[in-house]
Amino acid sequence: MPIPFLKMNGLGNDFIVIDARDTGFSPRPDDIRAWGDRASGIGFDQLIAIEGSEIGDAFMRVWNSDGGTVETCGNALRCVGWVLDKDGGDLTIDTLGGTTTARVLEADARTGMVSVDMGKPRLNWEEIPLSEEMDTLRLELQIGPIDAPLYHTPVAVSMGNPHVVFFVDDVMAVDVEKSGSLIEHHPLFPEGVNVEFAQVIDRNTIRMRVWERGSGITKACGTGACATLVAAARRGLTERHGNVIMDGGPLHILWRAADDHVIMTGPVEVEFEGQLDG
């Protein structure tokens, strides 16, 4: 049977979104890779299935374009919130990385602005996770020659999935593919890691580029933007709120002092509708 989907994106980070609440949708990795191929398939960064949940309005399952399952995806959470309810109510969306709350702030037939409470960042080395005990504010990790590293001493943060943030002077000068792929499967990260390169513009603005594990370079990463703001604030480089500008555009991130929850706000868009061969 054909499986209907929406092709959506959040700042260019693009997805196939499938409402699987009344189906037994369970794709094979080979199928995901074929669908995700931008030359011969539909092309996407992640495949998203909306499933039923006993503890919330829905469960969001995420596969990267390489066929592997990951814990969560911030930009996809905004898309799922838009799909579930365009009327502005609070929605509880469960994921493998934890439970979140989404609220649609603006919506029309094809676009929207959505805010997601991503919960508290996880800052302990075991929560990232790392393979050994280490100060997550200043990891003993570098890229390049040992006596003259290109990038070093990043910050590790989990937003339900693992991130490592390198602060750089000029983010546009970074070879994100080369450097990101070196770190993604570093032994320090037993579950792999998303790699962000961030340039602080001012106390409320960060320019960031990202290498996502299992997907490579993407135009935006919602959990990566959250992790980057948290990392910068922990280092004292920024305030606890501001815009994180990625290749696809900005997200507003607030690391709320009252409860330490991270609030991510940004746009979503429907590109087209289609069907997968079941």
Side-chain angles (χ1 to χ4, degrees):
M1 293 287 293
I3 302 168
F5 69 82
L6 291 176
K7 177 70 186 300
M8 301 187 70
N9 79 78
L11 296 176
N13 182 197
D14 60 347
F15 319 102
I16 283 179
V17 181
I18 294 169
D19 189 340
R21 286 175 288 183
D22 296 322
T23 71
F25 181 67
S26 182
R28 299 175 302 175
D30 286 349
D31 289 333
I32 296 171
R33 286 190 288 269
W35 297 331
D37 189 290
R38 295 190 185 276
S40 59
I42 300 163
F44 54 79
D45 293 323
Q46 282 87 24
L47 170 66
I48 309 299
I50 303 172
E51 302 176 358
S53 172
E54 295 182 357
I55 65 172
D57 294 286
F59 181 91
M60 183 183 80
R61 195 171 303 278
V62 185
W63 295 269
N64 278 335
S65 56
D66 68 354
T69 303
V70 292
E71 299 89 344
T72 190
C73 174
N75 287 320
L77 280 166
R78 298 201 313 280
C79 291
V80 169
W82 182 92
V83 169
L84 292 174
D85 185 359
K86 303 179 186 62
D87 296 329
D90 286 334
L91 297 159
T92 301
I93 304 172
D94 194 21
T95 74
L96 292 175
T99 303
T100 63
T101 303
R103 176 182 284 267
V104 178
L105 305 178
E106 303 172 11
D108 58 28
R110 310 293 289 187
T111 65
M113 184 68 66
V114 184
S115 183
V116 180
D117 182 340
M118 301 292 292
K120 295 181 180 181
R122 302 165 194 179
L123 307 177
N124 184 275
W125 72 275
E126 294 174 303
E127 297 174 315
I128 304 300
L130 304 180
S131 59
E132 61 181 281
E133 184 173 358
M134 196 174 292
D135 179 5
T136 61
L137 185 57
R138 299 182 184 278
L139 292 187
E140 298 172 15
L141 181 66
Q142 65 184 39
I143 300 173
I146 194 166
D147 56 345
L150 295 172
Y151 317 111
H152 61 88
T153 326
V155 181
V157 180
S158 173
M159 291 303 310
N161 53 0
H163 293 267
V164 62
V165 183
F166 290 86
F167 289 100
V168 302
D169 293 330
D170 182 0
V171 73
M172 299 309 295
V174 177
D175 187 334
V176 175
E177 180 174 9
K178 182 178 180 180
S179 297
S181 61
L182 282 173
I183 298 299
E184 177 184 1
H185 299 294
H186 191 282
L188 185 59
F189 307 102
E191 296 179 5
V193 71
N194 299 281
V195 187
E196 283 80 35
F197 298 92
Q199 177 184 349
V200 175
I201 305 301
D202 58 41
R203 297 286 298 177
N204 298 105
T205 311
I206 303 171
R207 178 68 170 95
M208 185 267 276
R209 299 176 69 198
V210 60
W211 175 271
E212 290 198 58
R213 59 175 179 161
S215 295
I217 294 175
T218 58
K219 292 183 178 180
C221 176
T223 56
C226 294
T228 296
L229 189 282
V230 168
R234 288 185 72 200
R235 282 272 180 93
L237 302 174
T238 66
E239 305 301 326
R240 293 174 64 109
H241 62 90
N243 290 324
V244 179
I245 304 169
M246 295 163 285
D247 290 350
L251 288 175
H252 185 268
I253 310 297
L254 165 65
W255 187 14
R256 199 161 55 196
D259 57 7
D260 267 350
H261 283 217
V262 179
I263 313 301
M264 170 192 61
T265 303
V268 300
E269 178 186 21
V270 177
E271 298 177 15
F272 58 85
E273 302 174 18
Q275 292 185 333
L276 300 175
D277 292 330

